[in-house]
Amino acid sequence: QSAAADEKLLGTLHHIVFVQRVFTAMLNGGAFDIQQESQPATSLAGLQERYAESHANQRLLSKDLTAESLTRRVENPWAPDLS
């Protein structure tokens, strides 16, 4: 069985990119459609697209970071007790 057809692996990769996208949205203060983002990609190619998009968004976020912006409190709407 190839890795591209391994459902457990695809599920793990989806979880990783999902969490990256959650935190990027929280740090950007942007909207996050949890229902849509919770839907797993139907292929390895779909996951690759999500990773590429997430990486680009993280690069944009990181280029604008400052010492002051790193002190900002970030609220987690899905786990407020962790904020």
Side-chain angles (χ1 to χ4, degrees), residues 3-21 37-41 43-44 47-48 50-51:
D6 185 328
E7 288 186 31
K8 184 172 181 180
L9 177 61
L10 293 175
T12 300
L13 293 173
H14 172 259
H15 175 75
I16 292 167
V17 76
F18 175 82
V19 171
Q20 289 176 346
R21 292 165 77 93
E37 295 286 347
S38 295
Q39 299 301 312
S43 67
L44 185 58
L47 270 173
Q48 288 171 319
R50 289 183 189 183
Y51 270 91

Side-chain angles (χ1 to χ4, degrees), residues 23-37:
F23 281 97
T24 301
M26 286 189 325
L27 293 170
N28 279 333
F32 186 80
D33 185 341
I34 196 164
Q35 295 299 327
Q36 178 183 340
E37 295 286 347

Side-chain angles (χ1 to χ4, degrees), residues 32-67:
F32 186 80
D33 185 341
I34 196 164
Q35 295 299 327
Q36 178 183 340
E37 295 286 347
S38 295
Q39 299 301 312
T42 57
S43 67
L44 185 58
L47 270 173
Q48 288 171 319
E49 288 176 22
R50 289 183 189 183
Y51 270 91
E53 181 183 302
S54 294
H55 181 73
N57 289 337
Q58 291 163 0
R59 286 182 54 97
L60 287 173
L61 174 67
S62 67
K63 80 175 186 65
D64 293 331
L65 290 176
T66 64

